[in-house]
Amino acid sequence: MTTRSLPPTWPTVVHMLADAAASAPATEALVCGERRLSYREFVACVAALAGEWRALGAAGGRIATLLGNSTDACIAAFAALAAGAQHVPLNPLYTAHELAPILADAAPAVLVVDESSAPAAVPLARELGIAQVVVVGAGARRLDALRGGDAVALPPLPAPDSLALLQYTGGTTGRAKGVDLTHRAIAVNVAQREALLPTRRGDRVICMMPLSHAYGMAMGMFLSINSASTLVILPRYQPDEVLATVERERIGVFPGSPTVFVGLLGHPRFGATDWSSVHTCYSGASALAEATLARWAAGVGAPVHEGYGLTEAGPVLSFNPVGGPVKPGSVGIAVPDTEIQIVDVEDGTRRLGPGERGEIRARGPQLMRGYRNRPEETAAALRDGWLYTGDIGELDRDGYLHIRDRKKEMLIVGGYNVYPREIEELLFAHADVADVAVVGTADDFRGETPLAHVVLRARSRADEQTLLDHCRAHLARYKVPSRVVFHDALPKTFASKTDKNALRRLNPDTTTHRSIR
């Protein structure tokens, strides 16, 4: 296996943007629908907004954004970083129930929200004492309207070891944990990924993945800025629009997820789409079937390079390299300056050999500093310089990593992390629920979906629709169970714990439901 060296690394991603604006000022930086910004205009918007936020005293604090995919989302992200604040990207699909504990933990000085999120977010911000709320959108403020001030200079660029991102991810308890990442960590990770997957300068990168998510930021926004490329933003994944955009915008780089690749392969216009401009495709979240990889490569003319990472790792740890073997079913080799090991699952101190399964641990300069306000969970995840991922895998003799299972109970639904405990706690709060367990079930489109196994209280007349409506009122759509299966009792282990392995083995279509008539 050839060792890849680390390309030159910028101190921060704000330095990347400043260089792109200086070296390619007229190149399109952002495209979203009819809105198009050059790098000159992009950096002017960022500089003006960063100046506003510094005047409000946001430097050294946190700026949270609750924005869908848009030019505004990119401007706000870079403005927060350029202002010397820590950016807190939040999923705009979250309900007020989900946002409240996250915002309380993050304690941002500024919250930037879409018009669509404002009715729920603004009262919540007021309740939590967030001093500044900025509402953006067609009927409110447009951040890309700041581009008229082309002469505005960026503030002093941030220090590499200062905090850059606070990205929230769930835990086995269902509580969201804020991952602290430094400027150096995310900038180094861009260079690490580029060593395996070099981007052509001035390329065109499609972004349908959420820019509030670690994958969308790293493999969309930061990837394009690093190479002075054009980020073509779609508000959401819509197959018809993706196919039309590939042709219209002459897309070269295509980051996606299993949901995207499987969905497009089944679209009637897939074969008629002109894919000739696409030369590189990436996938993360979960493994693609070998048949899917083969069909995509045959139809597009470019293979899908699968990789692996997690928010705590900045986020990329491995990828199948361009110009190297692409092994179906593998997430590739470690990026430069990164070690990946497989260790025993009992205490994580005994290193295992090729072909042996155990917990994946990694170390490198891209790892998180820790979890915000959670010293005990930080100590459990970061031990002796190693990040213990909670994922089960194995390394082959060529150093390629294969993911086999998850030590944690986390599900991956259409690229999103879903934590069963969060859904269970919500269902437990329903007056008609006596017991509940949530497990994952295979889904051809989303990879997995949550399946709720429920025991109702005596004399309850609640039905599946009642409980699903309860979930929809409090959870993002992708977290809502696909089914509710009723039982008289849930199977238990010898230690009186719910036996989730037994539930996973059940076929929900043949499971005996409790009569609820």
Side-chain angles (χ1 to χ4, degrees):
M1 182 180 65
T2 303
T3 302
R4 305 294 177 111
S5 59
L6 191 65
T9 303
W10 290 107
T12 76
V13 294
V14 185
H15 286 74
M16 290 180 198
L17 176 60
D19 177 77
S23 61
T27 297
E28 282 186 331
L30 305 175
V31 173
C32 187
E34 296 180 357
R35 295 186 174 271
R36 294 175 181 265
L37 271 72
S38 69
Y39 271 99
R40 181 189 295 109
E41 293 167 330
F42 183 21
V43 80
C45 294
V46 168
L49 190 58
E52 286 185 28
W53 286 342
R54 284 178 70 87
L56 292 174
R62 284 159 300 285
I63 295 175
T65 57
L66 189 65
L67 301 171
N69 281 11
S70 60
T71 55
D72 286 341
C74 296
I75 293 166
F78 270 92
L81 298 175
Q86 188 179 15
H87 179 216
V88 189
L90 301 174
N91 188 338
L93 296 178
Y94 280 168
T95 64
H97 172 82
E98 295 163 305
L99 280 173
I102 295 175
L103 287 173
D105 184 67
V110 179
L111 173 63
V112 188
V113 302
D114 281 326
E115 285 177 294
S116 59
S117 300
V122 171
L124 181 60
R126 191 178 301 118
E127 179 184 329
L128 293 171
I130 298 172
Q132 301 289 332
V133 179
V134 180
V135 180
V136 302
R141 186 176 185 189
R142 291 300 315 212
L143 301 184
D144 57 14
L146 298 167
R147 57 183 162 175
D150 288 2
V152 177
L154 285 169
L157 298 179
D161 290 319
S162 61
L163 291 174
L165 290 175
L166 177 60
Q167 291 185 306
Y168 278 85
T169 184
T172 53
T173 63
R175 295 183 305 161
K177 295 180 294 187
V179 174
D180 277 327
L181 292 163
T182 66
H183 281 277
R184 188 187 306 278
I186 61 174
V188 164
N189 199 225
V190 173
Q192 290 173 315
R193 185 206 59 235
E194 283 292 301
L196 301 187
L197 303 163
T199 308
R200 302 174 186 176
R201 189 168 178 85
D203 222 326
R204 299 182 73 80
V205 183
I206 194 169
C207 184
M208 71 211 76
M209 313 305 289
L211 284 166
S212 58
H213 190 278
Y215 182 78
M217 293 187 82
M219 302 303 293
M221 186 165 64
F222 295 154
L223 180 151
S224 64
I225 300 302
N226 180 66
S227 56
S229 294
T230 303
L231 187 67
V232 181
I233 305 164
L234 299 182
R236 64 193 62 83
Y237 167 60
Q238 294 179 306
D240 285 327
E241 186 57 29
V242 171
L243 296 175
T245 301
V246 165
E247 291 188 333
R248 182 179 66 250
E249 298 292 340
R250 302 302 295 161
I251 296 299
V253 180
F254 193 99
S257 68
T259 297
V260 169
F261 292 110
V262 171
L264 292 178
L265 280 169
H267 194 280
R269 283 194 53 233
F270 174 80
T273 298
D274 179 4
W275 292 95
S276 60
S277 61
V278 175
H279 56 80
T280 306
C281 306
Y282 311 135
S283 184
S286 57
L288 283 160
E290 188 169 347
T292 301
L293 291 169
R295 286 182 60 207
W296 183 270
V300 173
V304 177
H305 296 265
E306 295 188 275
Y308 168 68
L310 56 164
T311 305
E312 291 89 337
V316 180
L317 286 173
S318 71
F319 252 108
N320 277 276
V322 170
V326 175
K327 293 192 177 186
S330 168
V331 292
I333 59 175
V335 296
D337 289 1
T338 298
E339 292 179 78
I340 294 176
Q341 292 183 353
I342 308 298
V343 295
D344 66 283
V345 296
E346 289 74 27
D347 58 18
T349 59
R350 182 170 56 88
R351 186 176 178 181
L352 304 180
E356 293 186 278
R357 295 187 182 185
E359 182 170 3
I360 302 166
R361 71 177 185 181
R363 64 181 175 189
Q366 74 271 41
L367 299 187
M368 68 172 178
R369 181 174 289 180
Y371 296 117
R372 175 175 168 82
N373 296 332
R374 302 201 186 282
E376 292 182 2
E377 293 185 59
T378 297
L382 293 175
R383 288 178 264 160
D384 298 322
W386 292 95
L387 172 66
Y388 284 74
T389 66
D391 291 321
I392 304 300
E394 65 184 83
L395 290 165
D396 65 21
R397 295 192 179 279
D398 296 322
Y400 278 68
L401 179 63
H402 300 256
I403 308 297
R404 298 306 187 197
D405 207 339
R406 285 188 290 273
K407 187 177 177 182
K408 305 170 185 176
E409 292 186 2
M410 181 186 78
L411 313 178
I412 298 180
V413 181
Y416 287 109
N417 293 355
V418 174
Y419 296 88
R421 185 63 186 169
E422 181 183 17
I423 305 170
E424 290 165 356
E425 288 180 350
L426 181 66
L427 286 169
F428 268 125
H430 194 282
D432 290 299
V433 174
D435 200 1
V436 60
V438 173
V439 298
T441 184
D443 183 276
D444 290 341
F445 184 63
R446 295 179 178 85
E448 292 178 294
T449 57
L451 178 68
H453 293 271
V454 170
V455 177
L456 293 173
R457 296 187 183 280
R459 293 182 294 280
S460 168
R461 298 186 62 83
D463 58 12
E464 183 178 33
Q465 192 61 50
T466 299
L467 299 185
L468 291 178
D469 286 345
H470 175 67
C471 291
R472 291 188 185 103
H474 295 92
L475 297 173
R477 291 189 300 275
Y478 61 86
K479 296 181 184 178
V480 176
S482 58
R483 292 276 306 278
V484 175
V485 179
F486 295 96
H487 303 261
D488 291 321
L490 297 182
K492 303 292 180 180
T493 66
F494 181 73
S496 297
K497 296 180 179 180
T498 300
D499 189 346
K500 288 195 171 182
N501 286 329
L503 290 173
R504 292 185 185 100
R505 291 192 293 268
L506 292 175
N507 182 343
D509 293 322
T510 59
T511 300
T512 301
H513 289 35
R514 171 183 167 173
S515 173
I516 55 174
R517 290 176 296 189

